[in-house]
């Protein structure tokens, strides 16, 4: 081993030891192995360890559909109130009529977004054409059951998602995990509940039905016409 490698080895040993320290189950074996490795070997190991901690830059895995927790090794969610709000274009829904959802707040890079009903983790409905830098994620057996980021490009208030409701009478809400960056993310970002729209009551064309208001108006006109004949 050259003098250059010897000089570089202690630095790499420290780096690799730190990385291995986060792997509790394997840390003892890892640290014992570090001292016997050369610089080139440790450089490769460092890259492998780092690549394993980069989470999912191309989107959440299907394993996150239920708990919506990012698989960011060694990173915990923020405990402060989320700086994000899920804004919808309506407070009620009709089956098959699209609803738009916008994540309002600071710029973000990662997202997992689903529609749910209270007390159930099933992803409801179908998301439509994902906006730029996002993609579908299969959840609850539905290929379009959720949307997630497709890359780590910045997304913001101009990123609008479109969702089509299923035929259900239960209220629904939108739920998201939003990541500003790999080490900073919030869970359980929710919208207000949306309720199914009530059927609109009215006259069907050609039925001949008469409303009470129309009956009163007709009676008044008849009375005025009668007075003019006297």
């Amino acid at each position: 081993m050259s003098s250059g490698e010897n000089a570089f080895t202690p630095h790499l040993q420290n780096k690799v030891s730190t990385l291995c320290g986060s792997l509790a189950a394997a840390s003892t074996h890892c640290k014992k192995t570090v001292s016997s490795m050369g610089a080139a070997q440790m450089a490769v190991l460092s890259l492998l360890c780092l690549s394993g901690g980069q989470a999912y830059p191309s989107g959440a895995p299907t394993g996150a559909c239920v708990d919506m927790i990012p698989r960011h090794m060694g990173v915990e969610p923020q405990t402060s109130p989320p700086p994000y709000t899920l804004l919808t274009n309506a407070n009620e829904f009709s089956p098959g009529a699209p609803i738009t959802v916008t994540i309002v707040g600071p710029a973000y890079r990662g997202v997992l977004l689903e529609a749910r009903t209270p007390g159930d983790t099933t992803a409801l409905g179908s998301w439509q054409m994902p906006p730029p830098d996002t993609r579908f994620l299969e959840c609850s057996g539905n290929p379009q059951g959720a949307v997630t980021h497709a890359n780590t490009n910045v997304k913001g208030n101009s990123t609008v998602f479109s969702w089509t409701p299923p035929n259900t009478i239960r209220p629904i809400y939108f739920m998201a995990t939003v990541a500003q960056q790999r080490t900073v993310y919030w869970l359980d970002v929710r919208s207000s509940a949306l309720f199914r729209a009530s059927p609109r009551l009215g006259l069907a064309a050609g039925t001949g039905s008469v409303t009470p208001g129309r009956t009163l108006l007709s009676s008044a006109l008849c009375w005025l016409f009668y007075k003019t004949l006297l």
Side-chain angles (χ1 to χ4, degrees), residues 8-33:
F8 193 48
T9 297
H11 174 71
L12 283 172
Q13 286 178 335
N14 291 334
K15 288 291 186 181
V16 176
S17 294
T18 300
L19 288 169
C20 290
S22 64
L23 305 174
S27 62
T28 301
H29 173 73
C30 187
K31 290 176 180 178
K32 287 180 179 178
T33 304

Side-chain angles (χ1 to χ4, degrees), residues 133-181:
D133 302 315
T134 68
R135 64 175 179 84
F136 293 130
L137 178 66
E138 181 173 351
C139 287
S140 303
N142 181 355
Q144 297 175 212
V147 285
T148 186
H149 55 281
N151 52 51
T152 55
N153 292 347
V154 171
K155 304 151 188 73
N157 297 341
S158 61
T159 302
V160 180
F161 303 88
S162 180
W163 175 80
T164 301
N167 187 12
T168 180
I169 61 173
R170 302 185 66 184
I172 66 96
Y173 65 92
F174 297 98
M175 183 172 177
T177 295
V178 187
Q180 285 185 354
Q181 52 185 293

Side-chain angles (χ1 to χ4, degrees), residues 124-136:
L124 297 178
S126 293
W127 296 92
Q128 302 310 305
M129 184 64 69
D133 302 315
T134 68
R135 64 175 179 84
F136 293 130

Side-chain angles (χ1 to χ4, degrees), residues 1-2 10 31 35 39 48 63-64 66 81 85 107 109 130-131 147 169 176 187 195 201 203 205 209 223 228:
M1 187 160 53
S2 68
K31 290 176 180 178
S35 60
L48 290 174
V66 174
T85 301
R109 296 180 182 275
V147 285
I169 61 173
L187 300 174
F195 297 88
L201 300 177
L203 289 176
S209 301
W223 182 82
T228 59

Side-chain angles (χ1 to χ4, degrees), residues 8 36 40 53 89 114 117 123 132 150 152 166 193-194 199:
F8 193 48
S36 62
N89 67 329
E114 297 180 18
T117 194
T152 55
L194 278 67

Side-chain angles (χ1 to χ4, degrees), residues 54-140:
Q54 289 301 312
Y56 293 86
S58 59
T62 55
C65 287
V66 174
D67 59 20
M68 300 189 73
I69 298 176
R71 273 45 179 177
H72 296 180
M73 185 176 66
V75 180
E76 296 295 325
Q78 299 297 299
T79 57
S80 59
Y84 298 99
T85 301
L86 299 188
L87 182 66
T88 61
N89 67 329
N91 55 14
E92 58 183 19
F93 69 90
S94 298
I99 298 288
T100 61
V101 183
T102 306
I103 301 174
V104 179
Y108 60 95
R109 296 180 182 275
V111 64
L112 176 55
L113 178 61
E114 297 180 18
R116 295 183 174 184
T117 194
D120 195 344
T121 58
T122 302
L124 297 178
S126 293
W127 296 92
Q128 302 310 305
M129 184 64 69
D133 302 315
T134 68
R135 64 175 179 84
F136 293 130
L137 178 66
E138 181 173 351
C139 287
S140 303

